[in-house]
């Protein structure tokens, strides 16, 4: 009966610590935590900035023949007022041009992307009866942050022109699109391939044909339509009518009219050329001693390693074509960029000739990885600094215990970040660095008090550890709750700053809470085993423990003694603090 009463009088927190002191559960917890943290560090996507969800969509409206003023008054202004009625829309912009208008709707930060786009589509298509007759059609195009390219591959050559480079880039684009987790791709620069039909007005007049006749013949011929099916011999055959034009020779033999019972071919009234179209954009690249690029993919890498040797291949200003590749949402920019590079390297010698250099002119994956690594290095430096200070002030054994606790706290924090969908970026790492000074408070306080009890040698090691932990545990729990209450309001920040503050609102309280958990299950067990030998070794040198002899106590007594002994001085100090705080 007395034993039961004794167990019931033991505080709950002390019973938790006692369970972990008896066995080796703490060792299992350490191994599991570090393993989970290593996995989280590898699989969590890396990027420079956190992805902020701001649903934006452009409405492209075709208004053929209308001037910019007519487009603005009859189309853009009306659509602006209509889109402002959508719940969740923050701003609406419009640009009016001759023959077209672009109306952009931007929703509030944090609005659900899919729901916002559905609202936009519903609003437009449910009011299409209000569209002016001059409107020929419209297209709704969402604007995504993931549409921003993570890697730009610039194709250039000393021998090939823009047309040939464009053909190579287009073939490379079709193959890059099969790389997992790639998103939108597009090409800038070069001249696309076109079959150009140059009509001769004199010949058209001689045959009695008009341009509309040629246009109608091209549209009617360059189609392939299903025409049903039939069964024969236990097999089903699909029938199609017509086929697409594949060569310029087929285009030349296209019948565009009949005169005097004789067919008129397109070659009779026009000149057909298969070649380069007019360029829609221009891209140039300069090689020389001052040039600098992140990488050259393929067999030219060795030649271009040093910036001073660029001129050995081809110096000067040369035509180029750039292939831009974006990634899917939530994927690792580093892995996607590397996969794209490997895919391009495999094209060397087949799709990409040896005399074409592929220059990586933008690599968001590399820069994101470098930024993250820099912050990780800063985090490791901060940890090393804290441990070094602890080793100088408390001892190397105490510093070792805190050194074990820090990576465990960060490991568990990273896996929770991964579960909540956060990426590793400069904001999340800043939050972890900010939390470093807070998360070490619990293990430092525990270790210092356990070391004090061991030095006094008034209780056996296990009882001394439990007594030391119980003395400081209420204060540590209250400090943890105070820190959590201080950072949680960051979650309620709205606007563009909300997503930036969210990682700090999660990571700092989370790291402090995990540190408190570690102070229950790991720090006491590790301190009891690491400091017990130290206490026994110094037993002869320290026959007793007098806290009043320590330098810290003497300095504290010198500074705080007058305030504790004289109430007037205490109130005066509080008044000075209040004035300085105001």
């Amino acid at each position: 009966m007395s034993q039961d009463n004794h167990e019931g009088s033991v505080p709950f927190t002390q019973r938790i610590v006692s369970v972990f002191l008896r066995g080796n559960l703490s060792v299992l917890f350490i191994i599991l935590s570090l393993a989970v943290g290593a996995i989280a560090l590898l699989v969590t996507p890396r990027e420079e900035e956190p992805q902020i969800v701001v649903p934006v969509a452009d409405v492209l409206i075709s208004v053929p023949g209308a001037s910019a003023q007519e487009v603005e008054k009859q189309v853009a202004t009306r659509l602006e007022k209509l889109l402002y009625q959508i719940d969740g829309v923050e701003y609406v912009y419009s640009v009016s041009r001759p023959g077209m208008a672009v109306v952009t709707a931007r929703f509030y930060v944090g609005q659900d992307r899919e729901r916002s786009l559905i609202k936009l589509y519903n609003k437009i298509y449910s009011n299409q009866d209000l569209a002016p007759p001059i409107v020929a059609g419209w297209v709704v195009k969402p604007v995504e942050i993931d549409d921003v390219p993570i890697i730009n591959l610039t194709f250039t050559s000393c021998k090939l022109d823009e047309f040939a480079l464009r053909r190579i880039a287009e073939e490379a684009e079709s193959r890059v699109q099969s790389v997992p987790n790639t998103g939108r791709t597009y090409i800038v620069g070069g001249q696309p391939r076109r079959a150009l039909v140059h009509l001769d007005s004199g010949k058209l007049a001689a045959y009695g044909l008009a341009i509309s006749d040629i246009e109608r013949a091209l549209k009617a011929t360059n189609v392939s339509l299903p025409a049903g099916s039939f069964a024969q011999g236990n097999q089903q055959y699909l029938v199609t009518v017509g086929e697409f034009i594949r060569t310029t020779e087929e285009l030349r033999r296209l019948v565009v009219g009949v005169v005097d019972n004789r067919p008129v071919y397109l070659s009779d009234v026009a000149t057909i050329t298969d070649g380069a179209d007019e360029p829609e954009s221009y891209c140039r690249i300069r090689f020389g001693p001052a040039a600098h690029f992140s990488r050259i993919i393929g067999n030219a890498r060795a030649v271009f390693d040093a910036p001073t040797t660029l001129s050995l291949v081809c110096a000067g200003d040369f035509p180029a074509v750039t292939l831009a590749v974006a990634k899917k949402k939530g994927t690792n920019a580093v892995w996607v960029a590397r996969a794209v590079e490997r895919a391009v390297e495999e094209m060397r010698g087949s799709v990409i000739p040896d005399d074409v250099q592929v220059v990586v002119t933008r690599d968001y994956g590399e820069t994101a990885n470098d930024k993250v690594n820099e912050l990780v290095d800063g985090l490791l430096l901060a940890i090393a600094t804290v441990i070094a200070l602890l080793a100088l002030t408390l001892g190397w054994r105490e510093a070792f215990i805190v050194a074990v606790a820090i990576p465990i706290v960060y490991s568990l924090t990273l896996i929770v970040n991964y579960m909540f969908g956060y990426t590793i970026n400069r904001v999340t790492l800043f939050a972890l660095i900010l939390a470093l000074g807070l998360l070490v408070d619990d293990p430092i306080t525990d270790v210092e008090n356990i070391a004090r009890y061991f030095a006094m040698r008034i209780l056996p090691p296990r009882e001394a550890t439990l007594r030391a932990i119980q003395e400081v545990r209420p204060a540590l729990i209250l400090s943890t709750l105070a820190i959590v209450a201080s950072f949680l309001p960051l979650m309620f920040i709205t606007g563009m700053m909300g997503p930036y503050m969210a990682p700090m609102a999660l990571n700092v309280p989370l790291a402090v809470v995990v540190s408190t958990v570690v102070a229950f299950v790991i720090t006491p067990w590790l301190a009891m085993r690491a400091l017990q030998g130290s206490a026994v070794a110094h037993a002869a040198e320290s026959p007793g423990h007098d806290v009043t002899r320590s330098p810290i106590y003497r300095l504290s007594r010198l500074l705080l003694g007058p305030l504790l002994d004289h109430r007037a001085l205490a109130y005066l100090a509080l008044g000075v603090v209040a004035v300085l705080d105001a």
Side-chain angles (χ1 to χ4, degrees), residues 62 66 78 81 119 183 209 232 296 307 345 364 417 530 532:
S62 175
R78 294 183 181 182
K81 295 178 180 179
K119 292 178 184 178
L209 298 175
Q232 183 178 354
I296 306 293
E345 288 177 356
Y364 180 83
N417 273 260
Q532 182 178 355

Side-chain angles (χ1 to χ4, degrees), residues 385-459:
T385 303
V386 171
I387 294 174
L389 291 175
L390 292 177
L392 291 175
T393 55
L394 296 179
W396 69 268
R397 296 175 185 267
E398 291 82 353
F400 170 75
I401 297 171
V402 178
V404 172
I406 292 175
I408 294 174
V409 173
Y410 279 144
S411 296
L412 298 177
T413 304
L414 284 176
I415 193 62
V416 174
N417 273 260
Y418 176 74
M419 294 170 61
F420 275 84
Y422 285 93
T423 61
I424 298 179
N425 53 68
R426 62 176 65 192
V427 178
T428 54
L429 287 175
F430 173 75
L432 295 179
I433 295 175
L434 176 64
L436 177 61
L438 301 174
L439 65 89
V440 296
D441 285 346
D442 288 2
I444 289 176
T445 304
D446 283 348
V447 169
E448 194 277 335
N449 206 39
I450 293 172
R452 182 174 69 89
Y453 262 85
F454 280 4
M456 291 189 297
R457 299 189 310 280
I458 58 176
L459 293 171

Side-chain angles (χ1 to χ4, degrees), residues 134-213:
I134 60 175
V135 174
W138 57 81
V139 177
V140 180
K141 299 196 68 171
V143 180
E144 303 287 344
I145 189 174
D146 290 300
D147 291 339
V148 178
I150 62 167
I151 184 169
N152 286 352
L153 306 171
T154 300
F155 297 77
T156 186
S157 175
C158 307
K159 302 176 182 178
L160 303 181
D161 57 8
E162 292 94 336
F163 176 61
L165 291 173
R166 177 83 182 207
R167 297 291 302 277
I168 295 172
E170 288 174 347
E171 181 63 26
E173 179 186 20
S174 64
R175 303 200 180 194
V176 165
Q177 289 173 344
S178 63
V179 176
N181 297 321
T182 54
R184 179 192 175 201
T185 61
Y186 60 90
I187 296 175
V188 177
Q191 296 174 284
R193 181 188 178 188
R194 291 290 186 272
L196 302 178
V197 179
H198 304 276
L199 297 175
D200 190 322
S201 58
K203 293 181 179 180
L204 285 174
Y207 286 106
L209 298 175
I211 296 178
S212 59
D213 298 327

Side-chain angles (χ1 to χ4, degrees), residues 55 86 107 111-121:
I86 301 176
F107 291 78
Q111 290 284 318
D112 185 80
R113 172 184 169 273
E114 285 73 17
R115 292 183 179 179
S116 300
L117 294 178
I118 290 174
K119 292 178 184 178
L120 184 62
Y121 274 94

